[in-house]
Amino acid sequence: MSNEEVGYSLVYNQLYAFEGLQNYTSGIIHHVRLTGLEPSTLYQYQCGDPYISAMSDVFYFRTMPPSSPTNYPHRVAVVGDLGLTDNTSTTFGHLLSNHPDLLVLVGGISYADMYLTNGTGSDCYPCSFDESPIHETYQPRWDYWGRFMQPLVANVPTMLVGGKHEIEPQAEDQIFVSYSSRFAFPSEESGSSSSAYYSFNAGGIHFVILNPYTYYDKSSDQYEWLEADLYNVNRNVTPWLVAVWYPPWYSTFKARYREAECMRVEMEDLLYEHGVDIVFNAHVHAYERSNRVYNYSLDPCGPVYITVGDGGSREDIAVTHADDPDECPEPSTTADLDIGGGFCGFNFTSGPGAGSFCWDRQPEYSAYRESSFGHGILEVLYPSLSQHLFR
């Protein structure tokens, strides 16, 4: 190892303006940007200060293949809602054994927000801590999670998605502070002004990362950025177009049912017009895969939506479906105030669900659903179908 790069360091705070809550100051976090890397190349690296003999172990990573319609990472691991539980350990073991070239974490990362600042945790935060003046978090959980995940994330390029559990509100209405301080994002490189949304290429795949917990309406910076990013995608170079964000639009489980409907209303047309192939979501602790769908109707030009929010979260696995007898949720209870936009989940106007908020059977746009823990592996073998449909 002959090259040396110098980065920068930072410290962040998690502060609460309420008596009795414990404030937190992080350790020193170091960020280094590596330049001049060649594609499809294995690199070794160490972190630290060689002048005082304070160096890490030797780690390695392989860069992504060049962007072209014939080059793809062999395996892309996709998982959401990992947390740090016994189920996380099982999922982690499977992830390691699959030897992914790229890891995409679809939100729900450390679950530090399931704990009070004194470290007391619960499987249901609002049930146990309804008297807390603010949604507290126990920041050392981020450190525990990082040490546990090191064998994977130190050696595999990793991209992260900010979800509900990463909001972590604190004094002066600051949010996503730990998330944006501990990790690096190609925001500037992709023309974004925020770590909440960005894009990147992995061989012939163009990934778009979105965030419903910041403004997403048609006049927002995020929407305008997305519009420009999709417009500039060259499908002859990156035939596959994949979008990722945390709460699903097309989950049929009762938990989180149509929670992000306002985001769908604002953004679905744009994704459809540009021929997005696959959408990955989490938040619902189960697995579900849709057929190609647009506006709740089967459509050969629509994306396939895949929910992978089953990495190992300490919250309960989702079992009940909104179409099970007497399980359709009251519509007014489904909107998530953190997502914003008000209430957009009106009754269906066509198909078997016409006049109702839920179908009375598994919807035709839902291809497969399973209540279990696990992760997904994406392998790209052929050019994108949407590339041909949208030429």
Side-chain angles (χ1 to χ4, degrees), residues 172-374:
E172 299 181 354
D173 296 324
Q174 293 193 73
I175 57 175
F176 289 108
V177 175
S178 181
Y179 168 80
S180 60
S181 298
R182 290 175 179 267
F183 304 103
F185 310 90
S187 302
E188 181 180 349
E189 293 84 347
S190 58
S192 169
S193 60
S194 170
S195 61
Y197 47 89
Y198 60 90
S199 65
F200 65 94
N201 289 346
I205 312 171
H206 184 74
F207 282 89
V208 175
I209 308 300
L210 300 176
N211 191 310
Y213 305 103
T214 189
Y215 294 113
Y216 55 78
D217 60 87
K218 291 180 175 62
S219 63
S220 67
D221 290 343
Q222 179 171 197
Y223 189 95
E224 292 178 1
W225 168 84
L226 175 61
E227 196 170 34
D229 187 84
L230 294 177
Y231 178 81
N232 289 316
V233 173
N234 185 344
R235 300 299 283 268
N236 293 316
V237 178
T238 52
W240 284 85
L241 184 51
V242 177
V244 191
W245 64 87
Y246 189 55
W249 293 349
Y250 285 100
S251 170
T252 61
F253 285 86
K254 183 177 182 180
R256 313 300 181 186
Y257 181 69
R258 301 180 69 180
E259 185 176 276
E261 189 73 355
C262 289
M263 182 191 182
R264 186 193 69 80
V265 169
E266 291 288 337
M267 288 187 156
E268 185 175 28
D269 286 351
L270 187 58
L271 299 183
Y272 180 79
E273 290 165 6
H274 287 274
V276 169
D277 295 292
I278 303 171
V279 173
F280 287 109
N281 305 119
H283 203 20
V284 175
H285 304 312
Y287 172 81
E288 185 165 14
R289 184 183 72 254
S290 79
N291 293 303
R292 287 184 171 269
V293 59
Y294 167 69
N295 195 25
Y296 292 105
S297 297
L298 297 181
D299 191 312
C301 298
V304 171
Y305 291 80
I306 300 177
T307 300
V308 286
D310 50 357
S313 146
R314 66 174 296 165
E315 295 177 302
D316 291 337
I317 198 80
V319 176
T320 305
H321 307 111
D323 51 86
D324 290 343
D326 302 319
E327 293 296 345
C328 182
E330 168 60 37
S332 62
T333 67
T334 58
D336 183 352
L337 297 180
D338 285 325
I339 294 177
F343 175 74
C344 304
F346 300 101
N347 289 346
F348 296 110
T349 57
S350 61
S356 301
F357 191 63
C358 306
W359 287 45
D360 61 0
R361 71 201 78 168
Q362 181 173 354
E364 61 186 7
Y365 56 79
S366 173
Y368 181 79
R369 54 195 185 183
E370 178 181 296
S371 299
S372 64
F373 287 106

Side-chain angles (χ1 to χ4, degrees), residues 138-156:
Y138 185 59
Q139 290 297 298
R141 294 292 296 186
W142 282 103
D143 301 318
Y144 307 159
W145 184 90
R147 286 191 285 270
F148 175 79
M149 293 291 292
Q150 179 174 295
L152 183 64
V153 299
N155 299 304
V156 177

Side-chain angles (χ1 to χ4, degrees), residues 12-26 112 115-121 125 132-141 144 168-171:
Y12 78 89
N13 296 310
Q14 187 78 15
L15 304 176
Y16 300 102
F18 300 98
E19 185 178 353
L21 303 193
Q22 299 176 20
N23 294 328
Y24 171 87
T25 298
S26 73
Y115 298 80
L116 299 181
T117 59
N118 63 12
T120 303
Y125 186 100
S132 178
I134 191 173
H135 193 130
E136 303 175 36
T137 74
Y138 185 59
Q139 290 297 298
R141 294 292 296 186
Y144 307 159
E168 298 185 310
Q170 59 169 301

Side-chain angles (χ1 to χ4, degrees), residues 3-6 32-38 43 61 63 189:
N3 297 324
E4 181 178 311
E5 293 282 357
V6 178
V32 178
R33 181 180 180 183
L34 304 180
T35 59
L37 301 181
E38 295 295 326
Y43 288 92
F61 67 93
T63 52
E189 293 84 347

